[in-house]
Amino acid sequence: MALIVQKYGGTSVGTPERIQAVTERIIRTKKGGDDVVVVLSAMSGETDRLLALAHAMSPSPDERELDMLLSTGERVTIALLAMALSERGYPARSFTGRQVGIVTDAVHTKARIEHVTGERVREALAEGVIPVVAGFQGINEKSDVTTLGRGGSDTTAVALAAALKADRCDIYTDVDGVYTTDPNIVPGARRLDKVSYEEMLEMASLGAKVLQTRSVEFAMKYQVPVRVVSSFTESPTGTLVTKEDREMEQVVVSGVTYDRNQAKITLLGVPDRPGIAARLFGGIAKENIVVDMIIQNISQEGLTDISFTVPTGDAKKAVALVKTLAREIGARDVELSEGIAKVSIVGVGMRSHSGVAATMFDTLAREGINIMMISTSEIKISCVVDAKYVELAVRALHEAFGLGNTP
């Protein structure tokens, strides 16, 4: 008997009919002899509806109260699913994040999980009851409700799987796995049978929306096998996210990702002396703004320019903060560039194959796409380009690395 954590996203539980379909899938798993813990998102569109209500009350809602409001979405789905399972003769019990002991830091609207106790889940399993857990939420040490940010139910599911030492975590969504790129842009994109934790972490952080970045971090740290599968088909196939093996290294590039959720901030005329960058990015970090790519130009006459990217949603807040910091450090000006996007290639095989960067840059040059910024790691190369060229860049790179062909 295996212990499987199953997570269902908002589209999977978007209607009573969809919840009934999820009920059937869980029952089939139980009939197969496995124990199941279920983690649910709110119904699709519900979080946006609650956000609209909050902004009808205040243009800048208090984040503590916002978390209290947003956490109600998952309570609806867990109660409904528990009712549906019990009606079919399979005892189920719903639990909030607080009730299963998901303890987070104190940052509201994008809290990070610090630990999971999971005692009530273990008790339910021992009683033969199916635990149905609210994703996306937890509590801080003051017992205030916190939420984990968009996609946080994935993180809940993997963290719970790690705490329970589950055999696998299945993420049910509206796609049937991880693809070499977005099939909406490249119809010939291929579903990957498996992908390494490292590759999936890069893909998630670079714009692939199949899994939330922090959920992959948990999976990699605690070696939890994660399977991405569709809840809209009966096919058991999907993509397994697991530890790297030799077969994966034979493929140079596994996927092409893109992210339009990018804005570039540039500080002009920054004094080039020790401690300036630390002061700048330390101030940004205190506001919980995530900085991605950073470029500092060569110093001329004791001055330099520093450019960096942030998520679009944080751009205005970041610019206001950076303007204050610019005055403090004596920088000349601050510029905000929107309408940009990041396109990336990812693959563990890049560690042992040369010429990958050259192929990427040559491909973009042939399409007349200018590169504004470049960032690399062992297994990825990212370029910031004009947003209007991102789809062209994705298609060209997908073809250049032969990702649509059967390996």
Side-chain angles (χ1 to χ4, degrees):
M1 178 184 292
L3 173 59
I4 310 296
V5 174
Q6 295 183 348
K7 178 264 176 178
Y8 294 91
T11 53
S12 301
V13 292
T15 65
E17 293 75 21
R18 289 304 311 158
I19 293 174
Q20 291 290 358
V22 167
T23 301
E24 293 295 332
R25 193 179 294 270
I26 295 165
I27 290 172
R28 286 198 297 273
T29 304
K30 284 291 290 182
K31 285 182 176 178
D34 294 329
D35 277 335
V36 187
V37 176
V38 184
V39 176
L40 298 184
S41 297
M43 290 181 169
S44 56
E46 180 64 8
T47 300
D48 288 337
R49 186 185 74 85
L50 293 171
L51 279 170
L53 287 173
H55 285 99
M57 300 298 106
S58 167
S60 300
D62 179 85
E63 291 187 338
R64 180 190 180 279
E65 304 310 323
L66 193 57
D67 274 355
M68 185 69 79
L69 176 67
L70 296 182
S71 68
T72 63
E74 285 70 23
R75 293 188 180 214
V76 173
T77 51
I78 60 172
L80 291 174
L81 181 63
M83 292 174 192
L85 285 165
S86 297
E87 179 66 21
R88 292 291 308 277
Y90 288 82
R93 192 173 301 150
S94 62
F95 297 100
T96 65
R98 174 197 295 269
Q99 290 170 323
V100 298
I102 297 173
V103 181
T104 74
D105 60 19
V107 179
H108 284 290
T109 73
K110 46 186 172 183
R112 298 184 70 86
I113 296 175
E114 294 187 340
H115 65 270
V116 179
T117 61
E119 286 306 315
R120 295 194 66 181
V121 173
R122 293 187 185 92
E123 291 170 3
L125 288 169
E127 296 171 14
V129 173
I130 300 173
V132 184
V133 180
F136 178 64
Q137 61 183 251
I139 58 166
N140 60 26
E141 49 182 39
K142 291 183 178 180
S143 292
D144 288 334
V145 174
T146 56
T147 63
L148 309 180
R150 289 286 187 174
S153 293
D154 287 353
T155 306
T156 302
V158 179
L160 195 54
L164 297 173
K165 295 181 169 49
D167 296 276
R168 193 178 70 239
C169 179
D170 289 344
I171 305 292
Y172 285 91
T173 181
D174 54 1
V175 296
D176 63 349
V178 180
Y179 277 72
T180 50
T181 195
D182 184 351
N184 294 314
I185 291 179
V186 182
R190 177 172 46 85
R191 181 178 57 79
L192 300 168
D193 291 328
K194 59 182 176 179
V195 63
S196 72
Y197 292 122
E198 292 88 346
E199 288 172 319
M200 192 66 246
L201 185 59
E202 292 283 13
M203 288 180 182
S205 66
L206 295 169
K209 296 176 175 61
V210 178
L211 282 176
Q212 205 258 6
T213 305
R214 282 152 53 197
S215 70
V216 185
E217 290 174 349
F218 263 103
M220 183 165 64
K221 181 177 180 179
Y222 296 102
Q223 296 292 289
V224 178
V226 175
R227 189 177 63 145
V228 180
V229 65
S230 173
S231 63
F232 290 83
T233 69
E234 297 303 317
S235 173
T237 59
T239 299
L240 181 66
V241 184
T242 186
K243 59 185 178 182
E244 181 182 330
D245 60 28
R246 291 182 181 177
E247 182 182 325
M248 294 174 182
E249 292 181 350
Q250 302 306 310
V251 180
V252 180
V253 174
S254 296
V256 181
T257 68
Y258 67 96
D259 186 2
R260 290 191 177 95
N261 181 33
Q262 297 283 305
K264 178 164 69 83
I265 298 173
T266 302
L267 274 79
L268 303 171
V270 180
D272 189 11
R273 59 176 184 265
I276 292 295
R279 190 170 175 183
L280 169 64
F281 293 107
I284 294 170
K286 286 178 181 177
E287 296 300 318
N288 297 300
I289 297 172
V290 176
V291 172
D292 184 13
M293 303 170 72
I294 303 172
I295 289 180
Q296 180 170 333
N297 293 336
I298 297 173
S299 176
Q300 293 184 349
E301 299 180 356
L303 297 176
T304 187
D305 298 336
I306 299 176
S307 297
F308 59 93
T309 59
V310 298
T312 302
D314 288 331
K316 290 182 180 178
K317 180 180 179 182
V319 166
L321 174 63
V322 170
K323 284 184 176 179
T324 300
L325 291 169
R327 288 192 292 269
E328 294 176 1
I329 64 179
R332 187 175 74 247
D333 199 7
V334 177
E335 293 181 350
L336 171 65
S337 300
E338 296 181 290
I340 63 168
K342 178 170 61 178
V343 62
S344 311
I345 56 173
V346 178
V348 292
M350 291 168 61
R351 292 176 179 147
S352 53
H353 292 77
S354 62
V356 180
T359 299
M360 181 179 191
F361 301 152
D362 182 59
T363 300
L364 295 177
R366 287 201 311 270
E367 299 295 339
I369 301 172
N370 185 50
I371 300 171
M372 303 177 193
M373 303 173 78
I374 301 169
S375 174
T376 66
S377 75
E378 276 191 317
I379 66 168
K380 66 95 175 174
I381 304 172
S382 296
C383 297
V384 171
V385 300
D386 193 311
K388 65 185 179 182
Y389 295 123
V390 69
E391 293 189 10
L392 174 61
V394 168
R395 286 191 292 268
L397 291 169
H398 196 267
E399 181 179 354
F401 289 101
L403 296 178
N405 301 324
T406 301

